Amino acid sequence: MAKHSTSPEHSGLGGVPALPPALGGPINHAIFRIARLHKMTAGNLLRRVGLHPGQEMVMMYLWELGPQRQTHLIRLLDSDAATMTRTIRRLEHAGFVRRSPCAGDKRAYLIEPTAAGRALRPQVEQIWNQLEDIVVGGAGERERQTTRRVLEGLEERLTHAAESRV
């Protein structure tokens, strides 16, 4: 039986061996694992208030911007129509948003938070603060700034690649 190398340069996060194809892209492997763990942790925290990862982002936009057309939410969240429709349907079923036809365009829907949806805001803000503490709790201000700059640089390069359809 083959043994996996667990030296730091050949391991994933937490000492889990990286798969051979990931060895050529250790940063990609780290991003994949961090994204998965971040989503899982966020999901565990959000579940307490009846939300799933991503739904809180829809709610945040609605809290900040007020009622929005579903098509505008799709653009804001860089989503697709089918995913946003499912998300809105689930939020509506949970009683957090209401959909109503736009006055000027009966084909378009206006999405707005309900009283129950607005009541979630302090809880979601507390969850995001808790998630931030989990992610960078022990880091000093300098390390937090460096981490943010690195992540912004990664986002910028990936955005450019996505826009140029690599």
Side-chain angles (χ1 to χ4, degrees):
M1 180 175 239
K3 289 179 106 176
H4 293 285
S5 169
T6 56
S7 63
E9 65 272 16
H10 291 104
S11 67
L13 301 175
V16 176
L19 297 171
L23 294 176
I27 292 173
N28 290 324
H29 190 247
I31 290 170
F32 170 80
R33 291 180 57 92
I34 288 168
R36 186 180 61 79
L37 288 167
H38 187 272
K39 184 176 181 177
M40 183 179 67
T41 303
N44 288 335
L45 295 171
L46 289 166
R47 191 173 302 118
R48 298 175 193 163
V49 297
L51 293 174
H52 296 280
Q55 292 177 337
E56 84 282 15
M57 295 300 296
V58 171
M59 297 306 299
M60 286 181 193
Y61 277 114
L62 294 174
W63 295 326
E64 285 302 310
L65 303 175
Q68 297 294 307
R69 286 178 176 230
Q70 189 164 324
T71 55
H72 191 227
L73 290 170
I74 290 168
R75 284 192 304 275
L76 286 169
L77 292 159
D78 196 25
S79 183
D80 60 79
T83 299
M84 186 58 66
T85 298
R86 279 191 308 274
T87 299
I88 297 300
R89 188 178 302 129
R90 289 175 180 153
L91 287 168
E92 187 178 31
H93 181 69
F96 298 136
V97 300
R98 92 177 105 258
R99 274 186 319 158
S100 54
C102 288
D105 183 356
K106 297 294 182 194
R107 296 172 298 161
Y109 284 98
L110 196 62
I111 312 302
E112 62 181 317
T114 61
R118 288 188 299 278
L120 282 178
R121 186 175 187 160
Q123 295 168 296
V124 169
E125 289 172 352
Q126 189 273 330
I127 287 168
W128 267 60
N129 287 330
Q130 186 178 359
L131 187 57
E132 186 88 359
D133 285 342
I134 290 167
V135 172
V136 292
E141 188 57 33
R142 189 172 180 187
E143 185 179 351
R144 287 173 184 240
Q145 288 175 358
T146 300
T147 300
R148 195 163 131 213
R149 273 195 310 276
V150 168
L151 291 171
E152 287 169 351
L154 293 171
E155 180 183 24
E156 184 178 326
R157 288 186 290 281
L158 287 167
T159 299
H160 177 72
E163 289 171 350
S164 61
R165 306 282 195 260
V166 172

